[in-house]
Amino acid sequence: MTAASEERVPAGAGGSSAAEMYALVERLYPLCRSITGDGVRATLDIVGEYLPLRVHEVPTGTQVLDWTIPQEWNIRDAYIADAAGRRVVDFRASSLHVLGYSVPVFARMPLSELRAHLHTLPEHPSWVPYRTSYYTPTWGFCLAQDTLDALPEGEYEVRIDSTLTDGHLTYAEHVVPGQVPEEVLVSCHVCHPSLANDNLAGIAVATYLARELAAREPYYTYRFVFAPGTVGAITWLARNRERVGKVEHGLVLACAGDPGQLTYKRSRRGDAEIDRVLRHVLSSSERPHRITEFTPYGYDERQYCSPGFDLGVGSLTRTPYAAYPEYHTSADDLDFVSPEAMADTLAVCREAFAVLDRNRRYVNLSPYGEPQLGRRGLYDSLGGRSDAKQAQMAMLWVLNLADGTHSLLDVAERAGLPFDAVADAADALHGAGLLKA
Amino acid sequence: MTAASEERVPAGAGGSSAAEMYALVERLYPLCRSITGDGVRATLDIVGEYLPLRVHEVPTGTQVLDWTIPQEWNIRDAYIADAAGRRVVDFRASSLHVLGYSVPVFARMPLSELRAHLHTLPEHPSWVPYRTSYYTPTWGFCLAQDTLDALPEGEYEVRIDSTLTDGHLTYAEHVVPGQVPEEVLVSCHVCHPSLANDNLAGIAVATYLARELAAREPYYTYRFVFAPGTVGAITWLARNRERVGKVEHGLVLACAGDPGQLTYKRSRRGDAEIDRVLRHVLSSSERPHRITEFTPYGYDERQYCSPGFDLGVGSLTRTPYAAYPEYHTSADDLDFVSPEAMADTLAVCREAFAVLDRNRRYVNLSPYGEPQLGRRGLYDSLGGRSDAKQAQMAMLWVLNLADGTHSLLDVAERAGLPFDAVADAADALHGAGLLKA
Amino acid sequence: MTAASEERVPAGAGGSSAAEMYALVERLYPLCRSITGDGVRATLDIVGEYLPLRVHEVPTGTQVLDWTIPQEWNIRDAYIADAAGRRVVDFRASSLHVLGYSVPVFARMPLSELRAHLHTLPEHPSWVPYRTSYYTPTWGFCLAQDTLDALPEGEYEVRIDSTLTDGHLTYAEHVVPGQVPEEVLVSCHVCHPSLANDNLAGIAVATYLARELAAREPYYTYRFVFAPGTVGAITWLARNRERVGKVEHGLVLACAGDPGQLTYKRSRRGDAEIDRVLRHVLSSSERPHRITEFTPYGYDERQYCSPGFDLGVGSLTRTPYAAYPEYHTSADDLDFVSPEAMADTLAVCREAFAVLDRNRRYVNLSPYGEPQLGRRGLYDSLGGRSDAKQAQMAMLWVLNLADGTHSLLDVAERAGLPFDAVADAADALHGAGLLKA
């Protein structure tokens, strides 16, 4: 697999991080993650090799908003064995084979009785589904319909060697300090077992995004949260009620490596700055893409955009939540994601945060008539020509709209100019003392 | 006619009230109504057999807003007779033959002189037009152009045995008490003589709508006003200045039985709740329909939506005011309306008021993150599946938007879910203590 | 040329002013204008024969907003002569041949050295470009590429007999007094040399517009400003800081005579009343036209719409700024403009200001229900007819929307009625005491 993926890495820029992100996905793929337990710890240990992480352990029973941290689930082994003792379903082959959070079981029973505990996907008979039962104690196995169909009636031994005990919920944070304390939150869920796109690709893109951001001193402080879905995000919110007020923008990263086009799902607000930035970056690029409205379903934007918080947090995926057949099945494997797709997702994040970091509101200090740009060396000296250059148009637009209400992105969109040209013009005017931030 | 109409009644649900509404139209059809007089009283007497009415009599000369209650008009007989004494135009054949509010006349005159008092419809030579002259004292006859063309020159006897005397303007109300004192106004005009669609069909639909509402305890208090057009609505407004503040929604019902598609005309506000409800109900159904903007012409929405009142009152018709050739002619007869069309209009009113009655604004009492629905028995226990059910989506949407500003209709429209699914979800969440009204 | 132009004048109404405007353009065409100097004074002297002007002289060195009045530039002669003493480029043939604001020069030099001072239009080899260098002291000549190509190498005598000395910037105003002190500003630039469309046509249309307005007593006070571009408008703004608060509407007139379709460029506000009036007038007429969004480039709307002033000033042109090949070249000559085009531009100004002058907000003094129009003689007495007349609809719409927030233009647009019908209805209702202004 590694060899194959390296062949797929393009020669140009980004090839290096593309290959490295893919390699990280490969390392994380075999682990059996859940909303608690050692699988999450092992995942964060690996990510921690790429990025210093602060790991938090929150005890079972802790009240987090409306929820309570559940018992910790760990699993050593699980199988269904036939009368001959042959494992016909084996956890060692794939972490998906066990219903997530299964209570322990060790029993013999006829297939007729076992069937109530078996989950298949009849419409994709060779795929194993991913299923969990976090808050209702039960046990089960997930397997291919083909496998099930081939099982003769008769007695089977079933064993799930799991524990559900008081322990902890584990999540981690990485902070890239910025020039200002206001924060951008990047959140990805780490609770899914062997599913490559959902969400190992998101974890890998977030990891490399954090490394890139650290390499330049960003304007905003960027906080990366690697946490189990739903209860993990709720835990982070519960423990950061004060900090939430500083989170001005955010992005939930998921499904970052599949071959589909990029999809940005707006925040609940619909017109938050992050929404406008992503729309601008995606529509300015030549990428095919989709912008979709907020829905209270999907990933942890559900929590960040709950009405009490209502944060400006959108969600970036390639093919979105539940919109591809491989979703939550064994077909979401290492072949389903590619270095190129992850590099493309990373590039859009890079471009979006570059815009976000420069997107200020300025006030024109010489707002009555145009200031004389010529004597400040900011204007072409030969008049009468009709080919006003983009840089000069950008300066005129910034001066005209710099009334404290329009952001530079507003200016770029109204002017139909590239954001960078507008931000460069603002820098030049600011340097000449014509603008204040 | 009765036999024919019964044949047309469909076998299914609503067939009974459809037939009964049509029978009511048949009973009311022969009466000669005007803005005052015994025709209105007889009409209200008949409606009163179906529905307890409170009848109001307002004396001639009473000031009502900018208007004054006119003299009461009554008519016993009217005709044009030829030299042989044969009635060539006869009020007994149709109440339309007399210009409404004609002063009394008893004279002989040549046809040449009579012509100035005759009204025809040359473009529909076999139809008799409906004409009135409420505030300019004159007399006249309406007849078919064919009839006029067949009249030889010569002397005719004309007689209108009418009276214009101090009396009263008559209107009636019926109230269906609700759980709250805030009111929904349903208004229909009762001043037109033998015109079936305009507005006997409206009167019949309003009557059966009131009966249906009384059978369930509605949320709002529903007030039905049966009043002469213009001056009657103005009289009601003048005498209910205090009550107007309680009228939160309203509907003017007219032209409710013709074969055309349903038309909802928005209130002056354009986005009143009744406007949104009717748009939702019509566009959610498979009915062809039209939504039109407010204009200050038409029926008594003109008065309810005058700028001093500016009530949230729209108008529901089938083919609207003046938009069908039969409008205000003898062709608006018992064949022009059907039980099915009236039943369809009634059904839309029923659906719209069902939505209106459930359309509340709630506040999520657990707005920080999602509340844990599973432990409250509100969430499917098996995770990982992508087929989120409509009921669960409805709950998530209600929780996400229940911030006191979004109504359930807002939620349904933003979520793209049926209103009833959203309202059911709100009931379930309210029952679980997660919402307050 | 005069003969030719007179042939083109249409026989109908406006023919007279069309011919006269064209004749005014012909008189102004030969003069060498710049942002200061005697060319502007001569121009204003001629305009002053048509319209009493108040001429302002502002001394060199005066601070005006962010700018300083520059030295005054005057020129008597300029040429490039070949070895035989023959003038191969001659200012006497066209004022365009000298780079505007050239410093004086009298020298001999080889063509190779001279080339750095020569400006041509290679893509239109027979046209002479218009170029200036107001704020960087230099000298230069503009000539046809064909002329340059025909020049043999060798020595040339170059002379520019210009002066740059302390003097004045000159601009002029004409005021048409109105019924109210609130002002409408009409501004056109007077600084371009021999360019007919840009802006002699604008000057001529403004001149005749002022004459027409004076002939009727307008509602608003109309102020016409004839000033050099940019620094002239800035000077007017600097010297009229108090008055600016009274300028409720305005129009920059330029490029008023070319064969292209009319173009209205919105004010920075985008929905100022002048924007809505021009859109209404242009879209109500059968003229092909364009409405464009504000940009901070073009003519003196740049200054009037700078964020500190943000006046409701739009710009009316035919083909806009820099959008025709003849722009700022010798091809913008007397053949490029026509009496018909100027008459058409004048007609739109006339229509727009007629709407603006009548566009009031009224309050319905009888807002509860409809007032009884019949007893005031404002309503057709015979009821029941469906052909509601436009005048009656206009009255009902005015009454319905006269709540102090809707202008008559709002009413006309919402009602889909001609503005004049609505304004006439308002006059009738006002006359009947039903409205107050």
Side-chain angles (χ1 to χ4, degrees):
Chain A
M1 203 66 206
T2 306
S5 75
E6 283 171 350
E7 282 167 25
R8 276 186 278 161
V9 174
S16 163
S17 60
E20 293 171 17
M21 287 190 288
Y22 190 85
L24 174 54
V25 170
E26 287 176 306
R27 291 183 67 189
L28 298 172
Y29 184 69
L31 300 174
C32 179
R33 281 161 291 270
S34 186
I35 54 173
T36 60
D38 290 333
V40 172
R41 288 190 191 93
T43 297
L44 297 177
D45 281 350
I46 292 174
V47 172
E49 296 175 22
Y50 298 73
L51 210 59
L53 292 181
R54 180 167 175 201
V55 177
H56 303 260
E57 297 279 354
V58 186
T60 296
T62 306
Q63 182 78 14
V64 285
L65 303 177
D66 187 62
W67 298 57
T68 307
I69 300 293
Q71 286 197 307
E72 182 174 325
W73 183 67
N74 283 293
I75 181 165
R76 273 169 300 273
D77 192 12
Y79 60 84
I80 301 173
D82 62 17
R86 194 173 52 90
R87 291 187 172 202
V88 295
V89 175
D90 188 354
F91 172 71
R92 294 175 309 194
S94 167
S95 66
L96 296 177
H97 278 312
V98 168
L99 177 76
Y101 253 64
S102 279
V103 297
V105 66
F106 189 18
R108 295 186 68 85
M109 63 186 71
L111 181 58
S112 57
E113 188 178 329
L114 181 55
R115 281 184 191 277
H117 294 272
L118 302 184
H119 303 279
T120 63
L121 282 173
E123 65 276 29
H124 294 290
S126 66
W127 296 356
V128 179
Y130 162 55
R131 294 285 180 271
T132 63
S133 181
Y134 296 132
Y135 300 102
T136 305
T138 186
W139 60 268
F141 286 88
C142 301
L143 64 159
Q145 182 69 43
D146 289 343
T147 305
L148 177 58
D149 292 345
L151 293 185
E153 295 298 326
E155 287 279 300
Y156 287 86
E157 179 178 287
V158 297
R159 175 155 199 194
I160 297 179
D161 181 11
S162 65
T163 54
L164 270 164
T165 56
D166 284 359
H168 295 83
L169 177 142
T170 312
Y171 71 89
E173 292 178 284
H174 171 80
V175 174
V176 181
Q179 299 164 39
V180 295
E182 284 75 26
E183 296 196 354
V184 179
L185 178 71
V186 179
S187 175
C188 40
H189 62 283
V190 296
C191 52
H192 286 184
S194 302
L195 300 173
N197 193 44
D198 182 15
N199 188 29
L200 304 180
I203 294 168
V205 168
T207 300
Y208 277 79
L209 180 61
R211 288 160 61 106
E212 284 192 7
L213 281 166
R216 58 178 177 91
E217 191 190 8
Y219 178 74
Y220 287 109
T221 293
Y222 284 78
R223 179 173 303 269
F224 289 78
V225 174
F226 299 91
T230 306
V231 69
I234 284 168
T235 301
W236 185 87
L237 284 163
R239 291 161 55 93
N240 290 274
R241 294 291 289 261
E242 300 295 304
R243 187 183 307 284
V244 162
K246 278 198 197 150
V247 175
E248 298 209 338
H249 319 284
L251 205 54
V252 169
L253 264 180
C255 301
D258 71 75
Q261 64 185 4
L262 281 156
T263 303
Y264 177 72
K265 173 181 159 183
R266 294 175 191 273
S267 75
R268 178 180 185 271
R269 295 185 198 162
D271 64 346
E273 191 170 332
I274 191 76
D275 300 325
R276 301 205 41 228
V277 165
L278 265 293
R279 187 192 62 187
H280 182 80
V281 165
L282 287 169
S283 63
S284 301
S285 82
E286 292 173 8
R287 294 172 176 92
H289 67 274
R290 268 180 303 241
I291 308 280
T292 64
E293 295 303 314
F294 178 77
T295 71
Y297 208 61
Y299 295 107
D300 285 327
E301 66 275 11
R302 292 163 67 161
Q303 311 309 327
Y304 302 123
C305 296
S306 56
F309 295 113
D310 198 19
L311 298 178
V313 174
S315 171
L316 185 68
T317 60
R318 301 192 73 81
T319 307
Y321 187 92
Y324 47 97
E326 299 85 355
Y327 174 81
H328 278 194
T329 77
S330 57
D332 179 1
D333 63 9
L334 290 168
D335 283 330
F336 186 58
V337 300
S338 72
E340 295 84 351
M342 285 188 279
D344 184 57
T345 307
L346 177 62
V348 163
C349 292
R350 183 191 302 129
E351 293 166 33
F353 290 154
V355 169
L356 190 64
D357 264 6
R358 297 186 85 184
N359 188 31
R360 309 292 159 66
R361 282 174 170 71
Y362 289 96
V363 174
N364 179 347
L365 296 170
S366 183
Y368 295 98
E370 290 172 12
Q372 196 179 1
L373 298 176
R375 69 172 150 87
R376 294 175 174 93
L378 297 173
Y379 207 76
D380 195 31
S381 63
L382 188 64
R385 301 195 343 197
S386 59
D387 57 337
K389 292 181 200 114
Q390 177 172 286
Q392 290 187 11
M393 284 306 296
M395 272 189 279
L396 293 175
W397 272 110
V398 170
L399 287 167
N400 193 268
L401 295 178
D403 52 11
T405 66
H406 295 89
S407 71
L408 295 184
L409 183 56
D410 292 331
V411 177
E413 296 205 333
R414 181 151 168 192
L417 291 169
F419 177 84
D420 282 344
V422 168
D424 291 347
D427 286 347
L429 294 165
H430 189 256
L434 286 167
L435 298 182
K436 72 171 177 189
Chain B
M1 204 58 195
T2 307
S5 74
E6 284 172 348
E7 282 166 26
R8 277 184 278 162
V9 175
S16 162
S17 60
E20 292 172 18
M21 287 189 288
Y22 190 85
L24 173 55
V25 169
E26 287 177 306
R27 289 183 68 189
L28 297 172
Y29 184 70
L31 299 174
C32 180
R33 279 161 293 269
S34 186
I35 54 173
T36 60
D38 291 332
V40 173
R41 287 189 192 95
T43 297
L44 298 177
D45 281 349
I46 291 172
V47 173
E49 297 175 21
Y50 298 72
L51 209 61
L53 292 182
R54 180 165 175 207
V55 177
H56 303 261
E57 298 277 353
V58 186
T60 296
T62 304
Q63 182 77 15
V64 284
L65 303 177
D66 188 63
W67 299 58
T68 306
I69 300 293
Q71 286 198 309
E72 183 175 326
W73 184 67
N74 283 293
I75 182 165
R76 274 168 302 273
D77 192 13
Y79 61 83
I80 301 173
D82 61 16
R86 193 174 52 90
R87 289 185 173 206
V88 293
V89 175
D90 188 355
F91 172 72
R92 293 175 309 193
S94 167
S95 66
L96 296 177
H97 278 313
V98 168
L99 177 76
Y101 253 63
S102 278
V103 298
V105 64
F106 189 16
R108 294 185 67 85
M109 62 185 73
L111 181 57
S112 57
E113 188 179 328
L114 181 54
R115 281 183 190 278
H117 294 271
L118 301 183
H119 304 279
T120 64
L121 283 173
E123 67 275 28
H124 293 290
S126 67
W127 296 356
V128 179
Y130 162 54
R131 294 285 179 271
T132 63
S133 181
Y134 296 133
Y135 301 102
T136 305
T138 185
W139 60 268
F141 285 88
C142 301
L143 65 162
Q145 182 69 41
D146 290 343
T147 305
L148 176 58
D149 292 345
L151 293 185
E153 296 298 326
E155 288 278 302
Y156 288 87
E157 180 177 288
V158 296
R159 174 152 200 198
I160 298 180
D161 181 12
S162 66
T163 54
L164 270 165
T165 56
D166 283 358
H168 296 82
L169 177 142
T170 310
Y171 72 89
E173 292 177 285
H174 172 79
V175 174
V176 181
Q179 299 165 37
V180 295
E182 285 74 26
E183 295 196 355
V184 179
L185 177 71
V186 180
S187 175
C188 43
H189 62 283
V190 297
C191 52
H192 286 184
S194 302
L195 301 172
N197 194 43
D198 181 15
N199 189 30
L200 304 180
I203 294 168
V205 169
T207 300
Y208 276 79
L209 179 60
R211 287 160 62 107
E212 284 192 7
L213 282 165
R216 58 177 176 93
E217 191 190 8
Y219 178 74
Y220 287 109
T221 294
Y222 284 77
R223 179 174 302 270
F224 289 77
V225 173
F226 300 91
T230 307
V231 69
I234 284 169
T235 301
W236 184 87
L237 285 163
R239 291 161 55 96
N240 291 274
R241 293 292 286 262
E242 300 295 305
R243 185 182 310 282
V244 161
K246 279 197 196 152
V247 175
E248 298 209 340
H249 319 284
L251 204 54
V252 169
L253 265 180
C255 301
D258 70 75
Q261 62 185 4
L262 281 155
T263 302
Y264 178 71
K265 173 181 161 182
R266 294 176 191 274
S267 76
R268 179 182 185 269
R269 297 184 196 164
D271 64 348
E273 191 169 333
I274 190 76
D275 300 326
R276 302 207 38 232
V277 165
L278 266 291
R279 188 192 61 187
H280 182 82
V281 165
L282 287 169
S283 63
S284 301
S285 82
E286 291 172 10
R287 294 172 176 92
H289 67 275
R290 269 179 305 239
I291 308 280
T292 65
E293 295 304 313
F294 178 76
T295 71
Y297 209 63
Y299 294 106
D300 285 327
E301 66 276 12
R302 293 163 68 160
Q303 310 310 327
Y304 302 122
C305 296
S306 57
F309 294 114
D310 198 20
L311 298 179
V313 173
S315 171
L316 184 68
T317 60
R318 301 193 71 83
T319 308
Y321 187 90
Y324 47 95
E326 298 85 353
Y327 174 80
H328 278 195
T329 77
S330 56
D332 179 1
D333 62 10
L334 290 168
D335 284 331
F336 187 58
V337 300
S338 72
E340 295 85 350
M342 285 189 279
D344 184 57
T345 307
L346 176 62
V348 163
C349 292
R350 181 191 304 129
E351 293 167 33
F353 290 154
V355 170
L356 189 66
D357 264 5
R358 295 186 84 184
N359 188 32
R360 309 293 158 68
R361 282 171 170 73
Y362 289 96
V363 174
N364 179 345
L365 295 171
S366 182
Y368 295 98
E370 290 173 11
Q372 195 179 1
L373 297 177
R375 69 171 150 90
R376 295 176 175 91
L378 298 174
Y379 207 75
D380 196 30
S381 62
L382 188 66
R385 301 194 341 196
S386 59
D387 56 337
K389 292 181 199 114
Q390 176 172 286
Q392 291 186 12
M393 284 305 297
M395 273 189 278
L396 293 175
W397 272 111
V398 170
L399 286 167
N400 192 268
L401 295 179
D403 53 10
T405 67
H406 297 89
S407 71
L408 294 183
L409 183 56
D410 293 331
V411 176
E413 296 205 333
R414 183 152 168 191
L417 290 169
F419 178 84
D420 282 344
V422 168
D424 290 348
D427 286 348
L429 294 165
H430 189 257
L434 286 167
L435 298 181
K436 73 171 177 190
Chain C
M1 205 56 190
T2 307
S5 74
E6 284 174 347
E7 283 166 26
R8 276 186 279 162
V9 175
S16 162
S17 61
E20 291 171 19
M21 287 190 288
Y22 189 85
L24 173 55
V25 169
E26 286 178 305
R27 290 183 67 187
L28 298 172
Y29 184 68
L31 299 174
C32 179
R33 281 160 292 268
S34 186
I35 53 173
T36 60
D38 291 332
V40 173
R41 288 190 191 94
T43 297
L44 298 177
D45 281 349
I46 292 173
V47 173
E49 296 176 21
Y50 297 71
L51 210 60
L53 292 181
R54 181 167 174 203
V55 177
H56 303 261
E57 297 277 355
V58 185
T60 296
T62 305
Q63 182 77 16
V64 285
L65 303 177
D66 188 62
W67 298 58
T68 307
I69 300 293
Q71 287 198 307
E72 182 174 326
W73 183 69
N74 283 294
I75 182 164
R76 273 168 301 273
D77 193 12
Y79 60 83
I80 301 172
D82 63 15
R86 195 173 50 90
R87 291 186 172 204
V88 295
V89 175
D90 187 355
F91 171 72
R92 294 175 308 193
S94 167
S95 66
L96 297 177
H97 278 312
V98 169
L99 177 76
Y101 253 62
S102 279
V103 298
V105 66
F106 189 17
R108 294 186 69 85
M109 63 186 71
L111 181 57
S112 58
E113 188 179 328
L114 181 54
R115 281 184 190 276
H117 294 272
L118 302 184
H119 303 279
T120 64
L121 283 173
E123 66 275 29
H124 293 290
S126 67
W127 296 356
V128 179
Y130 162 54
R131 295 285 181 269
T132 63
S133 181
Y134 296 133
Y135 300 102
T136 305
T138 186
W139 60 267
F141 286 88
C142 301
L143 64 161
Q145 182 69 42
D146 289 344
T147 305
L148 177 58
D149 291 346
L151 292 186
E153 296 298 326
E155 288 280 298
Y156 288 86
E157 180 177 287
V158 297
R159 176 157 199 193
I160 297 179
D161 182 11
S162 66
T163 54
L164 269 164
T165 56
D166 285 358
H168 297 82
L169 176 142
T170 311
Y171 71 89
E173 293 177 285
H174 172 79
V175 174
V176 181
Q179 299 165 37
V180 295
E182 285 74 27
E183 293 196 356
V184 179
L185 178 71
V186 180
S187 175
C188 41
H189 63 284
V190 296
C191 52
H192 286 185
S194 302
L195 300 172
N197 194 43
D198 181 15
N199 191 29
L200 305 180
I203 295 169
V205 169
T207 301
Y208 276 80
L209 179 60
R211 287 159 63 107
E212 284 192 8
L213 282 165
R216 57 178 178 95
E217 191 190 8
Y219 178 74
Y220 287 109
T221 294
Y222 284 78
R223 180 173 302 269
F224 289 78
V225 173
F226 300 91
T230 307
V231 69
I234 284 168
T235 301
W236 185 87
L237 284 164
R239 291 161 56 95
N240 289 274
R241 294 290 288 261
E242 301 293 306
R243 187 182 308 283
V244 162
K246 278 196 196 153
V247 174
E248 300 209 339
H249 319 284
L251 205 55
V252 170
L253 264 180
C255 302
D258 72 74
Q261 64 185 4
L262 281 156
T263 304
Y264 177 73
K265 173 180 160 183
R266 294 175 191 272
S267 75
R268 179 181 186 269
R269 295 185 199 164
D271 64 347
E273 191 170 333
I274 191 76
D275 300 326
R276 301 204 41 229
V277 165
L278 266 292
R279 187 192 63 187
H280 181 83
V281 165
L282 287 169
S283 64
S284 301
S285 81
E286 292 172 9
R287 293 172 176 92
H289 67 275
R290 268 178 307 240
I291 308 281
T292 65
E293 295 303 314
F294 178 76
T295 72
Y297 208 63
Y299 293 106
D300 285 327
E301 65 275 12
R302 292 164 67 161
Q303 311 310 326
Y304 302 122
C305 296
S306 56
F309 294 114
D310 198 21
L311 298 179
V313 173
S315 171
L316 184 69
T317 60
R318 300 194 71 85
T319 308
Y321 188 91
Y324 48 95
E326 298 85 354
Y327 175 79
H328 279 195
T329 77
S330 57
D332 179 1
D333 63 9
L334 290 169
D335 283 331
F336 187 58
V337 300
S338 72
E340 294 85 352
M342 285 189 278
D344 184 56
T345 309
L346 176 63
V348 163
C349 293
R350 182 191 303 129
E351 292 166 32
F353 290 153
V355 169
L356 189 66
D357 265 5
R358 295 186 85 181
N359 188 31
R360 310 292 158 67
R361 282 173 171 71
Y362 289 96
V363 174
N364 178 345
L365 295 171
S366 182
Y368 295 99
E370 289 173 12
Q372 195 179 3
L373 297 176
R375 70 172 149 86
R376 295 175 174 92
L378 297 174
Y379 208 76
D380 195 31
S381 62
L382 188 65
R385 301 195 342 197
S386 59
D387 56 338
K389 291 180 199 117
Q390 176 174 284
Q392 289 186 13
M393 283 307 295
M395 273 189 279
L396 292 174
W397 273 110
V398 170
L399 286 168
N400 192 268
L401 295 178
D403 52 11
T405 67
H406 296 89
S407 72
L408 294 183
L409 183 55
D410 293 331
V411 177
E413 296 205 333
R414 181 151 170 191
L417 291 170
F419 177 85
D420 282 344
V422 168
D424 290 348
D427 286 347
L429 294 165
H430 189 257
L434 286 167
L435 299 181
K436 73 172 175 189

